[in-house]
Amino acid sequence: MSFNGNHRAYGDPSYWEKRYAKDPRPFDWYQNYPSLAPLIRLYVQPNSRVLVVGCGNSVFSEGMVEDGFEDVVNIDISSVVIEAMKKKCSDNAALKYIRMDVRDMSEFESSSFDAVIDKGTLDAIMCGNNSQQNSIKMVKEIGRVLKDEGVYILISYGTPAIRLSVLRETCLWTIKLHVIEKFMVERSPNHETWELTNPVPLNEDGSSIEAALGKNLDAYYHCVYVCTKLAQPTNLTAE
């Protein structure tokens, strides 16, 4: 699934309260867990502590737990959807739901998660007012709560030319790019295919992706940015 309609509304917290109050049916943005599972398993261990940001009423996290993941914390800015998901998953100790703004996760200690998964939340923030400022706040907070060598897996419709600048401005990462085909998109006769678990060549400005997949990347694929947090040097004071 992709964002449709009034994109700017997706950056407004009140939009999500109204949306989930009006339509409580489970919905997965972009991709579901089975489609992304091979990539998630490649970078995240079952015993990892995982944070899913902007969880909504997706069944993605439930799919992770069914697949053997043991500790999945979910946050969303909508109190409506968090209360609904708490009730739905109350008997599953591996799933936790907390109402929280991803731009301020001060309830979480620094370096407290092994992995953060984001399926469309950065995209939503970049649709709203003060998008640059808010997106930088968000990614800085994600970098803070991640352990050294932890991974931020961002599933996005944003191409490297747009997303890399935000990611690189806010934290020290090594970044790998994967792509996954969109659902229900008609393919052209010359459409290139790419294996999900095989990283796409990525140069400094992201232009290398065109050589691998052509210029119509956003027509056929969602981008998956796997950002590994670099270990921070420890400052030692000589006695």
Side-chain angles (χ1 to χ4, degrees), residues 145-197:
V145 302
L146 269 178
K147 297 177 182 178
D148 286 352
E149 300 182 357
V151 292
Y152 170 35
I153 300 177
L154 166 64
I155 300 95
S156 173
Y157 67 71
T159 59
I162 300 170
R163 293 294 179 266
L164 286 178
S165 60
V166 174
L167 293 170
R168 287 176 174 154
E169 184 175 346
T170 51
C171 194
L172 295 176
W173 316 96
T174 58
I175 301 176
K176 291 183 179 179
L177 175 65
H178 296 257
V179 292
I180 183 168
E181 293 193 5
K182 293 181 177 181
F183 294 138
M184 298 180 292
V185 173
E186 185 177 348
R187 309 300 177 197
S188 69
N190 298 321
H191 171 68
E192 298 284 346
T193 60
W194 196 273
E195 172 60 40
L196 170 62
T197 55

Side-chain angles (χ1 to χ4, degrees), residues 7 14 20 23 29-30 48 69 76 135 142 153 162 171 200:
H7 291 196
S14 66
Y20 292 124
D23 186 0
W29 291 97
Y30 302 164
S48 297
F69 289 88
D76 199 283
S135 61
I142 287 172
I153 300 177
I162 300 170
C171 194
V200 179

Side-chain angles (χ1 to χ4, degrees), residues 52-71:
V52 177
V53 297
C55 62
N57 53 19
S58 165
V59 297
F60 186 90
S61 298
E62 295 166 70
M64 288 190 71
V65 171
E66 290 171 4
D67 198 25
F69 289 88
E70 302 167 4
D71 186 1

Side-chain angles (χ1 to χ4, degrees), residues 51 53 75 100-113 115-116 122 125 133-147 152 166 170-171 173 229:
L51 174 63
V53 297
I75 68 168
M100 193 179 296
D101 187 334
V102 71
R103 297 167 300 177
D104 178 8
M105 297 187 287
S106 52
E107 290 182 41
F108 297 141
E109 294 182 0
S110 297
S111 304
S112 56
F113 289 94
V116 176
L122 181 61
I125 283 179
Q133 179 183 0
N134 287 325
S135 61
I136 288 173
K137 284 182 179 179
M138 172 184 167
V139 181
K140 279 184 176 179
E141 273 292 86
I142 287 172
R144 182 186 66 79
V145 302
L146 269 178
K147 297 177 182 178
Y152 170 35
V166 174
T170 51
C171 194
W173 316 96
K229 181 180 175 181

Side-chain angles (χ1 to χ4, degrees), residues 13 16-18 20-21 76-86 98-100:
W16 298 105
E17 291 284 49
K18 294 173 185 176
Y20 292 124
D76 199 283
I77 201 165
S78 167
S79 57
V80 171
V81 82
I82 287 297
E83 289 306 311
M85 295 305 291
K86 279 182 178 179
I98 304 169
R99 192 271 173 194
M100 193 179 296

